[in-house]
Amino acid sequence: MPWEFARIMAPLREFLDELRSEGTISLVDGRPAFVDRLYGEVYPLVPAANGFIGALEIWERRKGIDMHLTPLKQLVKRIEYDAPVTEKELDTAEDSYRVIWRAVGDMTLGETVELARDFDIQINLERVVA
């Protein structure tokens, strides 16, 4: 399971690394994108990141923990609105990543499956309401 966890976290790590080293992010058709290098899939960055964060928010509530998601959410919002990102904002988003890595890395297979199921239910409920 650690390899699956690393694969899930890889696009976020690559996004942060690219932003840090290049000062920019990957674009596909002029839009920020996550690239799943294992399968060659490309996902729009903002909805993908917001979905990932949404799943983590479920986990936070369930476990009563704080994964410090706010800086990451703020960074995604800045990307969404094509706003400049400061070094401090990137630093705090990377701090969030480290907290997420530790917290999610401790999840069992059963917890992972349960979280994925609950997140899928949440997405489908949001579609019905919208």
Side-chain angles (χ1 to χ4, degrees):
M1 177 112 142
W3 56 90
E4 279 298 312
F5 177 61
R7 186 179 77 79
I8 290 166
M9 294 289 289
L12 179 58
R13 178 73 264 160
E14 289 176 15
F15 156 68
L16 293 170
D17 288 346
E18 183 179 22
L19 193 54
R20 169 86 57 206
S21 66
E22 306 292 326
T24 188
I25 54 175
S26 295
L27 300 176
V28 174
D29 296 328
R31 303 181 108 170
F34 268 147
V35 178
D36 179 339
R37 304 218 182 274
L38 182 61
Y39 296 108
E41 297 290 329
V42 176
Y43 303 97
L45 185 141
V46 172
N50 284 333
F52 181 72
I53 292 167
L56 295 174
E57 288 172 329
I58 292 171
W59 187 246
E60 278 185 321
R61 287 189 303 275
R62 182 170 292 155
K63 289 297 187 177
I65 60 175
D66 180 4
M67 287 196 276
H68 307 286
L69 297 174
T70 300
L72 188 57
K73 288 169 29 177
Q74 291 170 337
L75 178 64
V76 171
K77 194 57 86 176
R78 295 190 72 72
I79 299 300
E80 180 178 8
Y81 291 105
D82 198 23
V85 175
T86 68
E87 190 81 17
K88 182 171 176 35
E89 290 166 329
L90 185 54
D91 289 343
T92 58
E94 288 183 333
D95 290 343
S96 292
Y97 177 87
R98 285 186 282 279
V99 173
I100 293 165
W101 181 265
R102 285 190 303 271
V104 179
D106 291 337
M107 291 173 72
T108 66
L109 176 60
E111 291 170 330
T112 304
V113 169
E114 184 179 323
L115 178 60
R117 183 202 66 221
D118 293 348
F119 185 63
D120 188 49
I121 290 168
Q122 177 180 319
I123 296 267
N124 287 316
L125 286 172
E126 288 172 0
R127 285 184 186 145
V128 169
V129 172

